[in-house]
Amino acid sequence: QVKEKGRAHYRFYQTNMESSFPNYIIMESHLRKAIEKEELYIHYQPQMNLSTGNVDSFEALIRWNNRKFGFVSPGQFIPLAEETGLIHGIGEWVLEQVCIQLKDWRLKGYKNVRIAINISPKQFLQEQLVETIRGYLAKYEIPASCLEIEITEGAMQDTQQTLKMLKKLKELGVFISVDDFGTGYSSLNYLKRFPIDILKIDQSFVREIGSNQKDSAITTTIIHLAHSLGLEVIAEGVEEEGQVHFLKEANCQKAQGFYFSKPKCPEELEHYVHL
Ligand code: C2E
Ligand code: MG
Ligand code: MG
Ligand code: MG
């Protein structure tokens, strides 16, 4: 977790090297007002079921368009939000927006659609997270099975607290996925203790499947591992047809990436959603 944080910060300072320090402070003050100024919005990226060719789930990815900074990527402002505690407000906003979107699609007849949201490590350690989720599901009359919670492998620390949290989420009925699987440097022990549903193969492995033997081997192994454990598996960052072929051959259930669609606003995605 510490390593992940350090890396994110390094990236942040590096991209703003010239005037990094003041920018960091100014950006925080802008981020603080981003919700009320309606500068935040959500794009959704389809997840393709490789055996049926249908899309029945999406990942919600936050976007920020600020007057001073322009488009700031979540890779930059989410670490800042985590650092400053703003993540709690932002995270709750994302949750509500996703429930509103689910409600909208369900009212249009798209009843079986599922949306995955990213939960950052700090949010995940919040005691009241489960109650907050339960509250919004009830408010918008969404079955818990329409919601998926993505937690990065780095945040899956093998502790009692994590286990307790995951059990509560599972009891609620939401799906739980491990994001960026294979990059968290954690022991695989948690896989047998935690009630996980889905592994998301990190895009760093998917990028060179087909050309890099090691990446191919790792990807195939993760798919086997998921199957043996009875988990769903999804490959991230799929950009080329060759990767799709490889993943189908390897029996990977789902794939997500620019090859199928970039993350887009919900109106542009309705044709994907099946009744
Ligand atoms: P992630 O959850 O691993 O999301 C995948 C990232 O890969 C997204 O970047 C997505 O736009 C990008 N991507 C998807 N397909 C492709 C592809 O084919 N090629 C390439 N090169 N990239 C692809 P994005 O949207 O910039 O998000 C970056 C990270 O920010 C996410 O990684 C996630 O960790 C975090 N994030 C995004 N939205 C939220 C949010 O609402 N809450 C929290 N806590 N974190 C978020
Ligand atoms: Mg994710
Ligand atoms: Mg990921
Ligand atoms: Mg990531």
Side-chain angles (χ1 to χ4, degrees), residues 24-66:
Y24 188 79
I25 306 281
I26 296 166
M27 194 174 275
E28 176 188 342
S29 74
H30 281 263
L31 188 57
R32 208 169 274 285
K33 290 175 245 160
I35 294 180
E36 60 176 87
K37 288 195 154 178
E38 300 187 351
E39 293 177 347
L40 297 178
Y41 55 100
I42 298 176
H43 274 173
Y44 295 86
Q45 188 173 37
Q47 302 182 325
M48 181 62 70
N49 185 318
L50 292 176
S51 49
T52 64
N54 285 346
V55 169
D56 31 39
S57 55
F58 295 84
E59 178 175 4
L61 295 155
I62 194 167
R63 299 289 176 255
W64 181 26
N65 187 7
N66 175 261

Side-chain angles (χ1 to χ4, degrees), residues 248-263:
K248 278 185 179 166
E249 282 295 304
N251 274 321
C252 186
Q253 282 149 315
K254 283 185 171 184
Q256 175 184 350
F258 297 165
Y259 176 79
F260 302 106
S261 171
K262 291 202 165 174

Side-chain angles (χ1 to χ4, degrees), residues 45 59 62-63 74 118 120 179-180 203 236-237 239 257-258 263:
Q45 188 173 37
E59 178 175 4
I62 194 167
R63 299 289 176 255
N118 293 282
S120 68
D179 202 355
D180 306 341
Q203 54 190 60
E236 292 192 85
E239 296 184 352
F258 297 165

Side-chain angles (χ1 to χ4, degrees), residues 9 166 172:
H9 273 264
L166 290 170
L172 179 59

